[in-house]
Amino acid sequence: MKQIFSKRVRRVLIAAVLVTIVLSIAAGTLGFRLPDITVQTVLQPLRSGAQALTRQAEGIYSYLFRYEALEEQVKMLEAENAQLREEVRAAAALTREVERLTAALGLKIQREDFVLLDAYIIGWDSGDWSEECTINKGSVAGVQLNQCVVTANGEVVGLVTEVGPNYAVVKTVLDSSLEISATVATSGYNGMVQGGYATGEEGYLRMNYLPSDAVICNHDQVVTAGSTLYPRDLVLGSVVDAGFDETGVAKYAILEPAADFGSLEQIFVLTSYATE
Amino acid sequence: MARKKIEFRPDPTGFDWAGKLLLTQKQRRSVLKWLLYSLTCVAGLVLQDSMLAQLRLLGGCFELAPALIILICVLEGTENGSVFALVASMIYVFSGTGQDRYCILYLTLAAVLAAAFRQGYLRRGTGSDLICVGGAMVLYELALFATGVFLELTYSARWGVFVMTALAGTLGAGAAYVPLKRIGTIGGNAWKE
C-alpha cells in the first residue's frame, strides 16, 4: 500500500480534509455559498431540460401502456363529475347563504391578499433523510428565503431554504427539520407538525404536542395555525392515526400529507400575503 | 504483390484550436478523455436529480453520481483518479445533490481506497472493478449513515436502507461501466501495473 499511496495521493487526501473543513466553516459561519450558487445556476437549464424530457416520456408511457386504465378512469370520473355537479348546485345555494352571513358578520373573504408565483419542480433531492426539491424560479423572479410554497389547491408543500438567481431549493413538509404550527380544523386543537422520517413514519407527517385529552378522529383536516412564515388555514394533511407520545402526557397524530408529492410538478411560491 | 502502405501524412493546413493551445496529440486525447468523464458525471448527476430521485430500490435511493465518480477513480487509478474524485465530489456537493460538505471527504476517500485496493490486490477486470465500486459505495453510505445518526438526522434502524442505496448506485455504475471503460481507452492505457 506504501507504493499506492504516493505523495500525490496523500496530498489529495490532505486537500480533501482541508477543503471539507474550510468549506464547512465558510458555509456555517459566514454563509459563503458562492460555489453552490454558481454550480446550481449552470446546472439549472440541464435539470429543466431533463425534467421536461421525463414528463414527455411519462406522457408517452401513459398513453401507450395505460390507455385502458385511463379509459376506465375517464368513465369513473364522468360519473363522479355528474354527481359533483349535483352537489355543486346544492353547495351554490349554501355558498350564497354563507356569503350573506359572512358579510353580515363583517368578516373579510380570505386569501385575496395572496400573491403567488408559479414554478416547476426541476429536481428532487435523492438523499435519504432530506426531503427537498429544486424549482426553476429564483431571486430574479422574486423568490426569497423563507417563503411558503403551496400547490394549486392551497396545500402546503414546504419552505424556500435556498435561493439562486434562476433556481430555489424548497424544503418540503416531509423533512423532519421543518416544524409548522398547526391546528386540527374541526376541533381547534393546536400542535406542531413536522416530517415523520425521524420517528419512523416516512412519507407521513407527525403532529406533536396535542393535549392528552384531545379527541382526534381519522380524516380530520389539519391546517396551518398562522405564523410569520405560513398564513393561516393552508391545508397540511389529514389524520390517519393518533396515540400518546413517549412521555405519555401529550398526544400525537400521524397525518397523510395533503400535497401529493409523488406527482407534484407545478407549485406556487407565496411571495406576499397580509399578516394579521 | 501488396503495395507498401504509405505512412506519411502531411501537416494540417487549416486553423486548429487545439493546435493553438500548444498541446501534443497525447495531451489533446487526455483532455478529451477527462472532458468525456466529466460530461458523463454531469449527465449522471442530472439523471439522478430528475429521473431517479423518486425511484427506490427496497427503500434505497439511486445515488448514481457518487458511484460514477468512484468507478472513474477505479478505472484511472489512484494517481489521476484521486484528483478527479476530489474535484468531482466538490462539484457534486456544490450541485446541492450531495448531503453536505463532509461528502467531499467521504467520497474522495472512498474512491481512493477503492482504486488503491483494486490496484494492490485485484486483477483488472469488470468484476473486480465493480466489486471495488460496490465496496466503496457501502463504505461511503455507511459513513453518511454514521454522520446522520451522530447529527440525529436519521436513526440506527435505517442502516439497511443505506446499504441498499449503495447497491442501487453500484447497479447504476454497472450500467455505465462499458462506456466509461471505452472512454478510459482514449489516448491509450494510462496505468502501469
Side-chain angles (χ1 to χ4, degrees), chain B residues 85-122:
Chain B
L86 175 61
V87 176
S89 58
M90 283 169 71
I91 305 279
Y92 174 63
V93 168
F94 293 149
S95 74
T97 312
Q99 299 281 13
D100 213 333
R101 305 305 202 213
Y102 46 76
C103 288
I104 297 172
L105 177 61
Y106 295 166
L107 195 49
T108 309
L109 195 60
V112 168
L113 285 176
F117 187 78
R118 222 280 307 138
Q119 279 174 236
Y121 299 104
L122 298 173

Side-chain angles (χ1 to χ4, degrees), chain A residues 126, chain B residues 40-49 52 61-71 92 97 133 137 141 165 168-176 180:
Chain A
S126 52
Chain B
T40 311
C41 279
V42 170
L45 186 66
V46 172
L47 200 68
Q48 181 182 331
D49 282 346
L52 301 176
C61 326
F62 280 87
E63 294 218 324
L64 185 59
L68 291 179
I69 293 168
I70 293 170
L71 177 58
Y92 174 63
T97 312
V133 172
M137 277 301 287
E141 287 297 331
T165 300
T170 310
L171 280 179
L180 281 176

Side-chain angles (χ1 to χ4, degrees), chain B:
Chain B
M1 194 176 164
R3 284 177 63 189
K4 195 181 172 189
K5 195 177 171 187
I6 299 166
E7 291 182 346
F8 173 76
R9 283 193 179 83
D11 287 337
T13 49
F15 186 78
D16 183 6
W17 278 104
K20 279 277 175 193
L21 291 170
L22 299 175
L23 296 173
T24 62
Q25 195 176 30
K26 194 178 176 186
Q27 284 171 327
R28 266 183 254 170
R29 284 184 176 170
S30 182
V31 168
L32 175 67
K33 178 173 76 175
W34 290 106
L35 192 69
L36 288 174
Y37 274 148
S38 308
L39 286 175
T40 311
C41 279
V42 170
L45 186 66
V46 172
L47 200 68
Q48 181 182 331
D49 282 346
S50 55
M51 294 178 199
L52 301 176
Q54 299 287 61
L55 296 179
R56 292 285 187 271
L57 182 73
L58 298 174
C61 326
F62 280 87
E63 294 218 324
L64 185 59
L68 291 179
I69 293 168
I70 293 170
L71 177 58
I72 291 167
C73 188
V74 168
L75 288 173
E76 285 300 318
T78 49
E79 283 293 301
N80 295 326
S82 59
V83 180
F84 178 81
L86 175 61
V87 176
S89 58
M90 283 169 71
I91 305 279
Y92 174 63
V93 168
F94 293 149
S95 74
T97 312
Q99 299 281 13
D100 213 333
R101 305 305 202 213
Y102 46 76
C103 288
I104 297 172
L105 177 61
Y106 295 166
L107 195 49
T108 309
L109 195 60
V112 168
L113 285 176
F117 187 78
R118 222 280 307 138
Q119 279 174 236
Y121 299 104
L122 298 173
R123 281 181 168 214
R124 178 164 207 92
T126 310
S128 58
D129 286 347
L130 290 178
I131 285 170
C132 290
V133 172
M137 277 301 287
V138 170
L139 201 69
Y140 168 69
E141 287 297 331
L142 289 181
L144 275 185
F145 169 66
T147 310
V149 171
F150 177 72
L151 297 173
E152 294 183 347
L153 294 166
T154 188
Y155 50 98
S156 51
R158 284 188 70 83
W159 66 270
V161 172
F162 284 81
V163 174
M164 285 314 299
T165 300
L167 291 180
T170 310
L171 280 179
Y177 183 78
V178 174
L180 281 176
K181 203 173 175 188
R182 292 278 295 177
I183 292 169
T185 58
I186 295 173
N189 289 348
W191 60 87
K192 293 178 182 65
E193 51 186 55

Side-chain angles (χ1 to χ4, degrees), chain A residues 59-256:
Chain A
I60 293 167
Y61 178 84
S62 298
Y63 182 75
L64 290 175
F65 298 105
R66 297 187 193 150
Y67 190 74
E68 285 179 11
L70 283 173
E71 265 189 340
E72 281 290 310
Q73 207 174 358
V74 166
K75 279 179 192 165
M76 204 176 72
L77 286 171
E78 276 173 352
E80 198 179 320
N81 197 19
Q83 192 189 339
L84 285 172
R85 276 186 195 151
E86 188 61 41
E87 283 176 18
V88 164
R89 276 193 288 276
L94 286 170
T95 307
R96 281 194 296 276
E97 191 180 339
V98 169
E99 279 171 357
R100 279 197 301 274
L101 290 170
T102 307
L105 286 167
L107 295 173
K108 282 169 65 182
I109 304 295
Q110 290 180 352
R111 296 182 183 185
E112 280 183 350
D113 54 324
F114 281 13
V115 180
L116 298 166
L117 176 74
D118 72 307
Y120 278 93
I121 293 172
I122 56 168
W124 283 94
D125 188 341
S126 52
D128 187 67
W129 58 74
S130 61
E131 291 283 353
E132 292 175 342
C133 61
T134 308
I135 58 172
N136 67 342
K137 295 273 170 73
S139 55
V140 174
V143 180
Q144 289 173 11
L145 273 180
N146 294 327
Q147 284 179 336
C148 177
V149 177
V150 295
T151 65
N153 301 322
E155 300 146 344
V156 184
V157 174
L159 199 67
V160 176
T161 54
E162 195 181 318
V163 184
N166 58 355
Y167 75 95
V169 178
V170 177
K171 192 167 271 191
T172 71
V173 287
L174 293 174
D175 198 295
S176 296
S177 63
L178 211 64
E179 285 193 327
I180 305 167
S181 179
T183 308
V184 180
T186 49
S187 52
Y189 297 119
N190 289 317
M192 294 297 283
V193 170
Q194 65 180 133
Y197 172 88
T199 45
E201 292 105 7
E202 203 180 346
Y204 288 89
L205 306 173
R206 185 178 162 115
M207 187 175 190
N208 294 313
Y209 314 122
L210 287 164
S212 57
D213 58 346
V215 180
I216 316 286
C217 301
N218 271 356
H219 309 301
D220 273 356
Q221 273 209 333
V222 174
V223 295
T224 50
S227 65
T228 49
L229 300 178
Y230 305 93
R232 280 184 63 186
D233 293 332
L234 294 176
V235 187
L236 280 161
S238 52
V239 177
V240 290
D241 195 10
F244 281 94
D245 66 11
E246 309 81 56
T247 61
V249 294
K251 271 187 174 176
Y252 72 89
I254 304 298
L255 318 177
E256 189 174 17

